[in-house]
Amino acid sequence: MTTTITPTAVTSPPPTFLDRFRVPAGFVLGAVLLLGVAPLALSDFRLNLLAKYLCYAIVAVGVSLAWGRGGLMVLGQGVFFGLGGYAMAMHLKLADAAATGETLPDFMQLYGTGDTLPWWWKPFANPAFALAMTVLLPMAVAAVLGFFVFRRRVKGAYFAILSQALAAALSIWLIGQQATTGGTNGLTDIQGFFGYSLDDPVNQRTVYFLIAAVLLLLMVGVRQLFVSRYGELLVAVRDSEERVRFLGYDPANVKLVAYVLAAGAAGLAGALFVPAVGIISPALIGIVPSIGFVIGAAVGGRASLVGAVLGAIAVAWAQSTLSDAFPAAWTYLQGLLFVVAVGFLPGGLASLGAVLRKRRLRMTRTGETA
């Protein structure tokens, strides 16, 4: 006589009340802090600094998607940040020139390039075209680069080096085109933002609210990607690319989507950075800034959306504070942060609680065994 044992399905426990409302409650708390508390508690100067930090946090959202979920070491986000920033700055410089009755931006008049606007500048006089290019141009560049790179299965350190080379090449090109891009100085002294003067503190606060709202909405959208079928597939590609290929999916396409979306987020951040700071230059988009974007996400926790955002804000604040006090040592400290985060705490500060709990549990089990 044989006995047939029917296996029972293993079901996960139903989510508790706290689990169900943790994410919405966190979003509401973040909205209250950014849109309510910060404008009331901070001076105009501090609020402008926070606006700049939030632009870096927008880049970190894309880094969390591409690197935290997809395993893509994106060390060239400064390229896409710069493309979006220059697209926005070109339109604003043309608008400033038109407001004073000029046809050329001030730096072109200074360098004596003639009376004709370069052909590739002319479309950016249209605000709709300029706004679209702040996101579409970085995404298009990322799509072309990612298509060839991922098809050839370039990954790991080779992909990171290629990304850095692209950032260096763009920075060098911008510096060499002084007559049309402002050279080392970049595009500076931006006065207006779609008809509103940036010298007015009220308008500066409006720019801050715009940046904060974009960050919150982008976090909601990327969070939905994290929990979607695509998010699960992206994690599977990161952990075992060959298995995903055997299941009939193309890992190159999966990684390409994440890379392009991260580039779009960086381009949007660059576009918002321009009215917040009033400048975009090659110094803000080269190799060092690109590494800084990744360091912020790594320190906070690249796999955690909130951790990446908070890490980017914290590292940006530390850079503004410590670089003034220790200008020669800050770069070394920044590199040390990256090494420590990647080598000793891969999950960043967001994973510190889980690491401590596992260590406490291991010590408890060791004590019971002894």
Side-chain angles (χ1 to χ4, degrees), residues 222-238:
V222 174
R223 166 68 184 177
Q224 291 302 113
L225 274 180
F226 278 10
V227 299
S228 67
R229 183 178 180 84
Y230 170 76
E232 296 177 354
L233 187 59
L234 185 61
V235 173
V237 170
R238 179 196 66 190

Side-chain angles (χ1 to χ4, degrees), residues 1-19:
M1 180 178 179
T2 59
T3 304
T4 303
I5 301 177
T6 304
T8 58
V10 179
T11 59
S12 58
T16 63
F17 177 84
L18 183 61
D19 294 334

Side-chain angles (χ1 to χ4, degrees), residues 170-189:
L170 178 62
S171 179
I172 293 172
W173 181 82
L174 289 171
I175 292 174
Q177 304 297 316
Q178 186 172 12
T180 54
T181 65
T184 305
N185 296 327
L187 303 182
T188 63
D189 195 26

Side-chain angles (χ1 to χ4, degrees), residues 15-74:
T16 63
F17 177 84
L18 183 61
D19 294 334
R20 188 177 294 113
F21 291 97
R22 181 178 56 186
V23 174
F27 175 80
V28 172
L29 177 61
V32 170
L33 290 176
L34 290 178
L35 302 177
V37 176
L40 294 176
L42 300 178
S43 64
D44 290 338
F45 174 74
R46 296 295 179 185
L47 198 65
N48 288 341
L49 281 180
L50 181 57
K52 182 175 74 170
Y53 302 159
L54 294 185
C55 291
Y56 296 152
I58 292 175
V59 181
V61 172
V63 173
S64 180
L65 174 65
W67 186 28
R69 291 283 166 157
L72 303 173
M73 178 67 81
V74 284

Side-chain angles (χ1 to χ4, degrees), residues 9-336:
V10 179
T11 59
S12 58
T16 63
F17 177 84
L18 183 61
D19 294 334
R20 188 177 294 113
F21 291 97
R22 181 178 56 186
V23 174
F27 175 80
V28 172
L29 177 61
V32 170
L33 290 176
L34 290 178
L35 302 177
V37 176
L40 294 176
L42 300 178
S43 64
D44 290 338
F45 174 74
R46 296 295 179 185
L47 198 65
N48 288 341
L49 281 180
L50 181 57
K52 182 175 74 170
Y53 302 159
L54 294 185
C55 291
Y56 296 152
I58 292 175
V59 181
V61 172
V63 173
S64 180
L65 174 65
W67 186 28
R69 291 283 166 157
L72 303 173
M73 178 67 81
V74 284
L75 289 179
Q77 292 304 93
V79 173
F80 311 119
F81 183 86
L83 290 174
Y86 269 89
M88 175 63 75
M90 288 166 66
H91 170 73
L92 297 183
K93 291 297 289 183
L94 290 174
D96 287 347
T100 59
E102 301 289 344
T103 57
L104 297 179
D106 51 4
F107 74 93
M108 289 187 183
Q109 301 176 31
L110 178 64
Y111 297 141
T113 59
D115 298 330
T116 304
L117 189 69
W119 65 268
W120 52 277
W121 269 74
K122 293 180 181 179
F124 289 93
N126 187 309
F129 178 85
L131 283 175
M133 287 297 101
T134 60
V135 177
L136 295 182
L137 182 59
M139 293 178 72
V141 173
V144 173
L145 177 65
F147 177 81
F148 292 104
V149 168
F150 298 138
R151 289 293 173 183
R152 292 182 175 273
R153 302 185 185 181
V154 177
K155 53 186 177 181
Y158 300 101
F159 176 74
I161 293 172
L162 183 61
S163 298
Q164 281 199 325
L166 183 63
L170 178 62
S171 179
I172 293 172
W173 181 82
L174 289 171
I175 292 174
Q177 304 297 316
Q178 186 172 12
T180 54
T181 65
T184 305
N185 296 327
L187 303 182
T188 63
D189 195 26
I190 294 173
Q191 302 293 324
F193 183 62
F194 294 96
Y196 295 93
S197 174
L198 292 175
D199 292 332
D200 189 343
V202 175
N203 294 335
Q204 290 179 347
R205 283 183 168 255
T206 303
V207 171
Y208 165 79
F209 282 117
L210 175 62
I211 295 172
V214 168
L215 173 61
L216 291 170
L217 293 176
L218 188 63
M219 289 180 67
V220 171
V222 174
R223 166 68 184 177
Q224 291 302 113
L225 274 180
F226 278 10
V227 299
S228 67
R229 183 178 180 84
Y230 170 76
E232 296 177 354
L233 187 59
L234 185 61
V235 173
V237 170
R238 179 196 66 190
D239 295 339
S240 183
E241 185 172 326
E242 291 302 323
R243 289 186 179 182
V244 172
R245 184 175 287 107
F246 291 151
L247 292 175
Y249 295 97
D250 189 350
N253 292 336
V254 178
K255 292 190 289 187
L256 180 62
V257 171
Y259 187 53
V260 170
L261 291 177
L268 182 59
L272 294 171
F273 180 87
V274 171
V277 180
I279 182 176
I280 188 72
S281 71
L284 297 169
I285 65 176
I287 293 178
V288 175
S290 296
I291 296 176
F293 293 143
V294 174
I295 290 176
V299 170
R302 63 181 185 267
S304 168
L305 197 57
V306 176
V309 167
L310 294 179
I313 295 174
V315 170
W317 173 82
Q319 181 178 4
S320 299
T321 305
L322 299 179
S323 61
D324 293 336
F326 309 100
W330 163 247
T331 303
Y332 298 102
L333 178 59
Q334 192 179 41
L336 180 62

